Amino acid sequence: MPIRIFGDPVLRKKAQVIENIDGSIDRLARGMMESLNQARGLGLAAPQVGHSKALCIINLPLMNEKIKHPLVLINPKIHLREGEVNYEEGCLSFPGIYVDVKRPQKIALTGLDLDGNEMEYEAGDILARVFLHETDHLNGVLLIDHLSTIKRQLLKNKLKKLKQE
Ligand code: ZN
């Protein structure tokens, strides 16, 4: 599944809550896992492959080699945000762009797995950042929305180029 680049309107849409975890959701998750592996990214949200559904994949094996499978997260909701860290961040939908983004240091979230089980997670630092980045995507919020006007202005030409491609 090709990854959509900044300028594609699907990236700005609020993703639909998934009511039914059927075969189409399973196929979507599998396709996304493949795309994420190929791109060697930390996470991928369904809108990034053109599906406006509240589903994202976190590439846990890339962060911890002891973990064998990526995490599929359906309808995620952040319940707690604590602290603040500034750290460099990129996005598969913004190739070549890396910017410092302030985010909470620690979070707690809930969501469903592919079998419909309610899951609860706590995360800090990089993992918290990936969870926040991906849930942002499901709300149509992008990396650049976290930047000051001045910083965004500095990226103007690069962003224009991405949009044209
Ligand atoms: Zn992203």
Side-chain angles (χ1 to χ4, degrees):
M1 302 176 103
I3 292 170
R4 307 294 180 95
I5 303 300
F6 174 63
D8 192 315
V10 72
L11 294 174
R12 282 301 188 189
K13 271 171 80 177
K14 192 174 158 57
Q16 271 174 4
V17 170
I18 295 171
E19 312 271 359
N20 237 335
I21 305 172
D22 55 15
S24 72
I25 297 299
D26 206 64
R27 279 193 297 280
L28 174 60
R30 272 165 220 289
M32 285 171 63
M33 276 184 214
E34 229 166 84
S35 301
L36 185 57
N37 267 333
Q38 275 177 16
R40 292 195 56 79
L42 292 176
L44 186 68
Q48 290 181 281
V49 291
H51 292 261
S52 200
K53 303 260 182 213
L55 185 155
C56 58
I57 315 254
I58 313 290
N59 202 351
L60 294 181
L62 202 60
M63 288 176 259
N64 182 343
E65 57 189 18
K66 283 184 201 146
I67 302 175
K68 293 282 171 253
H69 299 286
L71 175 70
V72 178
L73 198 56
I74 295 168
N75 303 336
K77 255 198 202 133
I78 311 265
H79 294 279
L80 171 113
R81 299 162 191 261
E82 265 178 29
E84 193 181 65
V85 210
N86 201 23
Y87 199 80
E88 191 178 66
E89 205 171 304
C91 175
L92 293 174
S93 297
F94 290 82
I97 290 182
Y98 297 92
V99 284
D100 280 354
V101 177
K102 267 186 204 160
R103 297 211 187 252
Q105 187 270 330
K106 190 184 157 190
I107 59 148
L109 84 163
T110 54
L112 304 176
D113 69 8
L114 266 180
D115 297 317
N117 302 311
E118 180 92 27
M119 307 298 277
E120 236 184 291
Y121 300 94
E122 270 183 32
D125 302 310
I126 301 282
L127 186 55
R129 183 166 290 270
V130 178
F131 276 127
L132 287 160
H133 181 111
E134 300 313 325
T135 47
D136 264 4
H137 271 301
L138 303 179
N139 291 311
V141 175
L142 300 173
L143 183 70
I144 51 169
D145 300 339
H146 292 280
L147 302 180
S148 64
T149 321
I150 297 169
K151 279 193 180 165
R152 214 184 307 180
Q153 199 67 24
L154 291 172
L155 285 175
K156 213 175 128 191
N157 288 336
K158 276 191 184 173
L159 293 176
K160 216 174 163 184
K161 248 186 217 158
L162 283 185
K163 263 192 177 172
Q164 281 162 357
E165 282 164 17

XYZ file of all heavy atoms in Angstrom, residues 28-111:
644
model
N -6.639 -4.657 5.986
C -6.033 -3.323 6.048
C -4.818 -3.341 6.984
O -3.741 -2.849 6.637
C -7.083 -2.304 6.538
C -6.616 -0.877 6.796
C -6.042 -0.243 5.530
C -7.781 -0.014 7.319
N -4.987 -3.964 8.157
C -3.896 -4.025 9.141
C -2.699 -4.774 8.562
O -1.551 -4.355 8.718
C -4.389 -4.690 10.425
N -2.966 -5.874 7.875
C -1.873 -6.658 7.292
C -1.129 -5.885 6.207
O 0.096 -5.897 6.141
C -2.409 -7.974 6.721
C -2.438 -9.036 7.768
C -3.269 -10.246 7.381
N -4.015 -10.682 8.555
C -3.459 -11.263 9.614
N -2.158 -11.464 9.641
N -4.184 -11.622 10.647
N -1.894 -5.214 5.363
C -1.283 -4.395 4.308
C -0.432 -3.287 4.890
O 0.676 -3.000 4.415
N -0.950 -2.678 5.983
C -0.210 -1.589 6.627
C 1.081 -2.087 7.257
O 2.098 -1.402 7.242
C -1.085 -0.909 7.680
C -2.152 0.002 7.082
S -3.315 0.564 8.338
C -2.259 1.498 9.436
N 1.030 -3.295 7.835
C 2.242 -3.863 8.450
C 3.338 -4.009 7.405
O 4.498 -3.725 7.666
C 1.934 -5.240 9.040
C 1.355 -5.178 10.422
S 1.144 -6.845 11.045
C -0.327 -6.632 12.025
N 2.934 -4.473 6.214
C 3.902 -4.650 5.139
C 4.505 -3.300 4.733
O 5.723 -3.173 4.598
C 3.209 -5.276 3.938
C 3.956 -6.462 3.377
C 3.077 -7.245 2.431
O 3.019 -6.841 1.262
O 2.446 -8.225 2.877
N 3.639 -2.311 4.560
C 4.128 -0.977 4.166
C 5.063 -0.408 5.225
O 6.086 0.195 4.903
C 2.960 0.002 3.991
O 2.078 -0.463 3.020
N 4.693 -0.619 6.488
C 5.488 -0.070 7.591
C 6.857 -0.740 7.646
O 7.879 -0.087 7.861
C 4.731 -0.271 8.911
C 5.353 0.338 10.163
C 5.573 1.838 10.009
C 4.483 0.063 11.385
N 6.873 -2.052 7.429
C 8.138 -2.783 7.417
C 9.041 -2.313 6.295
O 10.233 -2.106 6.489
C 7.882 -4.285 7.244
C 7.787 -4.961 8.592
O 8.377 -4.486 9.569
N 7.047 -6.043 8.662
N 8.447 -2.149 5.117
C 9.239 -1.710 3.961
C 9.806 -0.326 4.176
O 10.940 -0.040 3.804
C 8.369 -1.723 2.703
C 8.336 -3.096 2.063
C 7.408 -3.141 0.862
O 7.023 -2.098 0.338
N 7.053 -4.332 0.441
N 8.987 0.547 4.788
C 9.418 1.932 4.986
C 10.330 2.060 6.210
O 10.962 3.093 6.411
C 8.198 2.830 5.156
N 10.405 1.005 7.009
C 11.158 1.002 8.258
C 10.809 2.194 9.146
O 11.671 2.858 9.712
C 12.677 0.944 7.995
C 13.122 -0.386 7.391
C 14.627 -0.610 7.457
N 15.185 -0.530 8.807
C 15.123 -1.506 9.722
N 14.485 -2.622 9.451
N 15.693 -1.345 10.894
N 9.499 2.424 9.262
C 9.026 3.514 10.111
C 8.639 2.982 11.476
O 8.509 1.777 11.681
N 8.458 3.892 12.442
C 8.084 3.496 13.802
C 6.579 3.273 13.931
O 6.127 2.520 14.779
C 8.535 4.553 14.815
C 10.043 4.702 15.006
C 10.340 5.839 15.965
C 10.644 3.401 15.529
N 5.826 3.949 13.088
C 4.379 3.793 13.174
C 3.706 4.217 11.884
O 4.311 4.916 11.060
N 2.462 3.753 11.707
C 1.715 4.097 10.501
C 0.234 4.133 10.857
O -0.267 3.241 11.541
C 1.987 3.046 9.416
C 1.406 3.298 8.025
C 2.082 4.495 7.357
C 1.575 2.062 7.130
N -0.457 5.164 10.401
C -1.887 5.280 10.657
C -2.644 5.049 9.346
O -2.141 5.380 8.262
C -2.202 6.666 11.216
N -3.851 4.461 9.451
C -4.608 4.082 8.252
C -4.788 5.234 7.241
O -4.687 5.002 6.037
C -5.954 3.483 8.661
N -5.033 6.478 7.698
C -5.167 7.557 6.701
C -3.924 7.715 5.818
O -4.018 8.163 4.684
C -5.381 8.819 7.562
C -5.952 8.306 8.842
C -5.311 6.960 9.054
N -2.776 7.296 6.344
C -1.537 7.413 5.557
C -1.483 6.434 4.391
O -0.622 6.555 3.525
C -0.305 7.186 6.458
C -0.075 8.308 7.446
C 1.170 8.023 8.267
O 1.141 7.243 9.193
N 2.271 8.653 7.911
N -2.376 5.435 4.394
C -2.471 4.580 3.217
C -3.834 4.781 2.538
O -4.298 3.943 1.770
C -2.222 3.077 3.546
C -0.765 2.848 3.936
C -3.153 2.582 4.638
N -4.471 5.908 2.855
C -5.688 6.291 2.139
C -6.989 5.786 2.736
O -8.037 5.927 2.115
N -6.931 5.186 3.938
C -8.158 4.702 4.579
C -8.462 5.536 5.818
O -7.689 5.542 6.771
C -8.021 3.232 4.975
C -7.949 2.308 3.806
N -9.030 1.600 3.355
C -6.919 2.011 2.971
C -8.680 0.893 2.287
N -7.404 1.133 2.038
N -9.602 6.223 5.794
C -9.942 7.096 6.906
C -10.603 6.305 8.034
O -11.771 6.481 8.341
C -10.857 8.215 6.399
O -10.820 9.289 7.296
N -9.827 5.416 8.645
C -10.323 4.539 9.726
C -9.407 4.679 10.930
O -8.192 4.842 10.775
C -10.275 3.073 9.281
C -11.054 2.793 8.033
C -12.380 2.191 8.398
C -13.170 1.851 7.139
N -14.602 2.019 7.361
N -9.993 4.569 12.133
C -9.214 4.756 13.360
C -8.396 3.512 13.688
O -8.742 2.737 14.591
C -10.138 5.121 14.514
N -7.351 3.312 12.934
C -6.477 2.161 13.121
C -5.041 2.613 12.895
O -4.767 3.364 11.958
C -6.857 1.095 12.096
C -6.174 -0.275 12.146
C -7.095 -1.299 11.503
C -4.856 -0.319 11.453
N -4.155 2.177 13.785
C -2.744 2.458 13.536
C -1.892 1.278 13.987
O -2.337 0.416 14.738
C -2.308 3.759 14.209
S -2.539 3.817 15.972
N -0.686 1.246 13.465
C 0.248 0.159 13.748
C 1.502 0.765 14.343
O 2.017 1.772 13.832
C 0.647 -0.575 12.458
C -0.570 -0.849 11.603
C 1.470 -1.803 12.765
C -1.049 -2.248 11.570
N 1.971 0.183 15.427
C 3.201 0.661 16.058
C 4.262 -0.415 15.844
O 4.043 -1.576 16.179
C 2.992 0.894 17.582
C 1.708 1.690 17.868
C 4.217 1.554 18.210
C 1.701 3.124 17.462
N 5.386 -0.017 15.307
C 6.437 -0.981 14.964
C 7.318 -1.289 16.176
O 8.483 -0.893 16.240
C 7.267 -0.435 13.797
C 7.990 -1.532 13.049
O 8.011 -2.682 13.497
N 8.575 -1.187 11.918
N 6.741 -2.024 17.124
C 7.477 -2.343 18.357
C 8.786 -3.086 18.089
O 9.788 -2.788 18.742
C 6.590 -3.162 19.314
C 5.377 -2.436 19.887
C 4.611 -3.366 20.821
C 5.774 -1.168 20.626
N 8.824 -4.054 17.146
C 10.091 -4.770 16.918
C 11.253 -3.855 16.520
O 12.400 -4.169 16.805
C 9.748 -5.738 15.762
C 8.279 -5.939 15.877
C 7.730 -4.622 16.345
N 10.937 -2.720 15.910
C 11.990 -1.789 15.515
C 12.563 -1.055 16.732
O 13.686 -0.568 16.709
C 11.416 -0.781 14.507
C 12.399 -0.067 13.586
C 13.167 -1.045 12.729
C 11.669 0.937 12.702
N 11.768 -0.972 17.815
C 12.211 -0.281 19.022
C 12.800 -1.243 20.043
O 13.568 -0.857 20.906
C 11.037 0.484 19.647
C 10.643 1.707 18.835
S 9.190 2.544 19.509
C 7.934 1.951 18.394
N 12.372 -2.520 19.969
C 12.832 -3.517 20.929
C 12.898 -4.871 20.225
O 11.878 -5.464 19.898
C 11.839 -3.580 22.112
C 12.285 -4.564 23.168
O 13.135 -5.427 22.924
N 11.709 -4.459 24.342
N 14.123 -5.333 19.996
C 14.285 -6.529 19.167
C 13.718 -7.792 19.811
O 13.550 -8.806 19.145
C 15.759 -6.724 18.783
C 16.699 -6.822 19.974
C 18.173 -6.800 19.547
O 18.456 -6.376 18.406
O 19.016 -7.194 20.369
N 13.423 -7.736 21.112
C 12.827 -8.903 21.783
C 11.358 -9.066 21.398
O 10.773 -10.139 21.578
C 12.939 -8.756 23.303
C 14.336 -9.050 23.805
C 14.366 -8.979 25.328
C 15.777 -8.759 25.831
N 15.786 -7.927 27.049
N 10.760 -7.981 20.907
C 9.349 -8.038 20.537
C 9.235 -8.439 19.072
O 9.912 -7.882 18.208
C 8.661 -6.685 20.813
C 8.812 -6.345 22.299
C 7.183 -6.726 20.416
C 8.280 -4.991 22.682
N 8.413 -9.449 18.815
C 8.362 -10.042 17.475
C 7.300 -9.397 16.578
O 7.424 -9.417 15.358
C 8.099 -11.558 17.581
C 9.245 -12.322 18.221
C 10.414 -12.536 17.231
C 11.636 -13.090 17.925
N 12.728 -12.137 18.090
N 6.222 -8.901 17.176
C 5.115 -8.448 16.338
C 4.786 -6.976 16.556
O 4.845 -6.491 17.678
C 3.864 -9.289 16.623
C 4.070 -10.736 16.323
N 4.129 -11.215 15.037
C 4.286 -11.790 17.139
C 4.351 -12.526 15.079
N 4.453 -12.897 16.343
N 4.401 -6.308 15.480
C 3.970 -4.925 15.634
C 2.628 -4.869 16.387
O 1.903 -5.865 16.447
C 3.814 -4.430 14.199
C 3.703 -5.634 13.355
C 4.377 -6.756 14.081
N 2.340 -3.732 16.952
C 1.108 -3.572 17.723
C 0.034 -2.926 16.848
O 0.251 -1.865 16.263
C 1.420 -2.676 18.929
C 0.256 -2.281 19.812
C -0.228 -3.499 20.588
C 0.679 -1.200 20.780
N -1.110 -3.596 16.769
C -2.247 -3.030 16.031
C -3.168 -2.377 17.055
O -3.535 -2.998 18.049
C -3.017 -4.132 15.269
C -4.221 -3.537 14.557
C -2.099 -4.829 14.284
N -3.514 -1.157 16.803
C -4.316 -0.402 17.757
C -5.539 0.181 17.036
O -5.400 0.909 16.062
C -3.432 0.718 18.321
C -3.829 1.405 19.599
C -4.017 0.411 20.729
C -2.766 2.412 19.976
N -6.725 -0.193 17.539
C -7.970 0.253 16.920
C -8.683 1.220 17.877
O -8.735 0.972 19.083
C -8.861 -0.963 16.593
C -8.155 -1.834 15.530
C -10.239 -0.541 16.105
C -8.779 -3.194 15.329
N -9.207 2.288 17.352
C -9.917 3.327 18.126
C -9.143 3.790 19.365
O -9.696 3.820 20.482
C -11.303 2.828 18.571
C -12.157 2.390 17.397
O -11.952 2.831 16.260
N -13.127 1.542 17.652
N -7.876 4.142 19.219
C -7.105 4.534 20.410
C -7.573 5.860 21.009
O -8.045 6.739 20.289
C -5.682 4.680 19.861
C -5.841 4.975 18.422
C -7.088 4.257 17.979
N -7.471 5.924 22.333
C -7.828 7.139 23.075
C -6.764 7.397 24.127
O -6.449 6.499 24.915
C -9.165 6.914 23.792
C -10.310 7.615 23.137
C -11.478 7.734 24.103
C -12.754 7.933 23.294
N -13.844 7.079 23.732
N -6.241 8.595 24.147
C -5.245 8.955 25.152
C -5.976 9.416 26.415
O -6.871 10.258 26.334
C -4.346 10.097 24.626
C -3.818 9.778 23.223
C -3.252 10.441 25.627
C -2.480 9.163 23.110
N -5.605 8.848 27.562
C -6.297 9.205 28.802
C -5.444 10.039 29.744
O -5.965 10.635 30.685
C -6.732 7.935 29.536
C -7.766 7.179 28.790
N -9.096 7.519 28.831
C -7.661 6.137 27.929
C -9.774 6.693 28.049
N -8.926 5.857 27.490
N -4.151 10.006 29.543
C -3.276 10.720 30.462
C -2.093 11.276 29.689
O -1.562 10.614 28.805
C -2.781 9.724 31.527
C -1.674 10.219 32.457
C -2.209 10.341 33.865
C -0.470 9.296 32.414
N -1.757 12.513 29.993
C -0.563 13.126 29.400
C 0.193 13.784 30.519
O -0.383 14.586 31.253
C -0.948 14.213 28.384
C -1.761 13.724 27.218
C -2.459 14.903 26.539
N -3.430 14.412 25.582
C -3.205 14.319 24.270
N -2.063 14.744 23.762
N -4.128 13.842 23.479
N 1.485 13.449 30.654
C 2.288 14.017 31.739
C 3.648 14.459 31.233
O 4.251 13.779 30.409
C 2.514 12.957 32.818
C 1.515 13.012 33.960
C 1.788 11.901 34.963
O 2.953 11.470 35.100
O 0.813 11.442 35.584
N 4.114 15.561 31.772
C 5.456 16.035 31.442
C 5.540 16.617 30.048
O 4.526 16.739 29.345
N 6.758 16.948 29.660
C 6.962 17.504 28.317
C 8.407 17.260 27.882
O 9.329 17.452 28.667
C 6.678 19.005 28.328
C 6.569 19.606 26.951
C 6.298 21.107 26.995
O 7.180 21.852 27.468
O 5.224 21.517 26.561
N 8.571 16.788 26.654
C 9.918 16.601 26.083
C 9.926 17.154 24.673
O 8.953 17.015 23.932
C 10.314 15.104 25.936
C 11.808 14.934 26.064
C 9.565 14.212 26.871
N 11.058 17.758 24.339
C 11.269 18.257 22.994
C 12.207 17.265 22.303
O 13.274 16.961 22.830
C 11.914 19.644 23.091
C 11.711 20.446 21.831
O 10.782 20.205 21.064
N 12.573 21.415 21.610
N 11.797 16.747 21.150
C 12.636 15.733 20.506
C 12.399 15.757 19.004
O 11.312 16.122 18.547
C 12.290 14.355 21.067
C 13.361 13.317 20.842
C 14.486 13.274 21.668
C 13.242 12.394 19.809
C 15.467 12.324 21.461
C 14.221 11.434 19.598
C 15.332 11.400 20.423
O 16.306 10.458 20.216
N 13.422 15.340 18.259
C 13.303 15.353 16.803
C 12.350 14.263 16.319
O 12.380 13.142 16.804
C 14.684 15.145 16.171
C 14.675 15.401 14.678
C 16.054 15.242 14.065
O 16.574 14.117 14.060
O 16.601 16.263 13.595
N 11.524 14.653 15.371
C 10.500 13.737 14.897
C 10.382 13.810 13.380
O 10.551 14.865 12.790
C 9.178 14.178 15.546
C 8.171 13.084 15.678
C 6.972 13.530 16.526
O 7.158 13.969 17.682
O 5.859 13.440 16.006
N 10.080 12.671 12.775
C 9.815 12.640 11.341
C 8.478 11.970 11.091
O 7.796 11.558 12.035
N 8.090 11.856 9.832
C 6.807 11.244 9.489
C 6.923 10.682 8.080
O 7.476 11.338 7.198
C 5.700 12.304 9.553
S 4.097 11.685 9.016
N 6.411 9.477 7.868
C 6.506 8.855 6.538
C 5.760 9.675 5.487
O 6.059 9.566 4.301
C 5.955 7.424 6.578
C 6.761 6.422 7.415
C 6.046 5.082 7.492
C 8.168 6.248 6.857
N 4.824 10.514 5.917
C 4.089 11.358 4.972
C 4.805 12.683 4.708
O 4.319 13.511 3.925
C 2.671 11.627 5.476
O 1.963 10.404 5.558
N 5.944 12.892 5.384
C 6.771 14.085 5.168
C 8.219 13.660 4.934
O 9.100 13.953 5.742
C 6.722 15.016 6.392
C 5.420 15.708 6.614
C 4.381 15.059 7.264
C 5.220 17.018 6.190
C 3.163 15.686 7.481
C 4.015 17.659 6.405
C 2.978 16.993 7.042
N 8.476 12.943 3.820
C 9.835 12.429 3.629
C 10.878 13.548 3.624
O 10.660 14.597 3.018
C 9.761 11.735 2.262
C 8.479 12.141 1.637
C 7.565 12.582 2.728
N 11.949 13.306 4.337
C 13.059 14.268 4.351
C 12.901 15.398 5.355
O 13.787 16.225 5.502
N 11.771 15.426 6.074
C 11.559 16.511 7.033
C 11.669 15.975 8.461
O 11.008 15.003 8.828
C 10.201 17.201 6.788
C 10.287 17.993 5.471
C 9.803 18.106 7.953
C 9.056 18.771 5.120
N 12.555 16.596 9.235
C 12.717 16.232 10.653
C 12.685 17.514 11.460
O 13.421 18.450 11.161
C 14.034 15.481 10.874
C 14.053 14.178 10.124
C 14.568 14.114 8.828
C 13.510 13.024 10.683
C 14.544 12.925 8.108
C 13.497 11.826 9.970
C 14.007 11.785 8.692
O 13.975 10.613 7.980
N 11.810 17.555 12.449
C 11.670 18.775 13.235
C 11.541 18.426 14.719
O 11.104 17.333 15.069
C 10.421 19.589 12.803
C 10.682 20.301 11.497
C 9.192 18.706 12.667
N 11.930 19.365 15.563
C 11.752 19.180 17.001
C 10.292 19.441 17.354
O 9.736 20.467 16.973
C 12.644 20.155 17.775
C 14.083 19.650 17.844
O 14.327 18.510 17.403
O 14.949 20.387 18.328
N 9.700 18.502 18.075
C 8.302 18.653 18.477
C 8.205 18.408 19.983
O 8.777 17.446 20.500
C 7.395 17.644 17.726
C 5.959 17.747 18.200
C 7.465 17.866 16.225
N 7.480 19.306 20.660
C 7.245 19.127 22.095
C 6.043 18.219 22.289
O 4.978 18.465 21.732
C 6.929 20.487 22.731
C 8.136 21.185 23.282
C 7.716 22.443 24.006
C 8.882 23.409 24.022
N 8.444 24.785 24.258
N 6.236 17.179 23.099
C 5.123 16.283 23.393
C 5.205 15.854 24.857
O 6.256 15.943 25.473
C 5.208 15.032 22.533
C 5.088 15.276 21.041
C 4.454 14.081 20.386
N 4.455 14.166 18.938
C 3.353 14.385 18.219
N 2.181 14.569 18.801
N 3.423 14.404 16.904
N 4.088 15.340 25.406
C 4.140 14.808 26.764
C 5.178 13.698 26.869
O 5.410 12.965 25.904
C 2.734 14.250 26.983
C 1.880 14.963 26.001
C 2.743 15.280 24.829
N 5.785 13.572 28.062
C 6.815 12.549 28.263
C 6.173 11.185 28.504
O 6.706 10.159 28.126
C 7.707 12.950 29.451
C 8.916 12.055 29.676
C 8.611 10.889 30.619
O 7.767 11.012 31.505
N 9.260 9.759 30.408
N 4.993 11.232 29.148
C 4.358 9.974 29.534
C 2.872 10.021 29.174
O 2.228 11.067 29.334
C 4.523 9.801 31.041
C 4.132 8.460 31.564
C 4.244 8.416 33.082
C 3.353 7.328 33.625
N 3.236 7.374 35.076
N 2.351 8.911 28.711
C 0.925 8.841 28.385
C 0.330 7.509 28.828
O 1.037 6.539 29.070
C 0.668 8.980 26.866
C 1.398 7.860 26.093
C 1.104 10.324 26.330
C 0.665 7.433 24.861
N -0.998 7.485 28.912
C -1.718 6.225 29.053
C -2.806 6.236 27.999
O -3.400 7.279 27.723
C -2.320 6.100 30.443
N -3.025 5.091 27.374
C -4.082 5.043 26.371
C -4.783 3.700 26.362
O -4.274 2.706 26.893
C -3.546 5.393 24.978
C -2.881 4.319 24.121
C -2.817 4.784 22.693
C -1.503 4.043 24.625
N -5.997 3.720 25.804
C -6.749 2.485 25.625
C -7.106 2.361 24.152
O -7.088 3.341 23.411
C -8.065 2.483 26.432
O -8.807 3.657 26.080
C -7.813 2.465 27.919
N -7.409 1.143 23.756
C -7.817 0.879 22.382
C -8.170 -0.586 22.263
O -8.110 -1.325 23.250
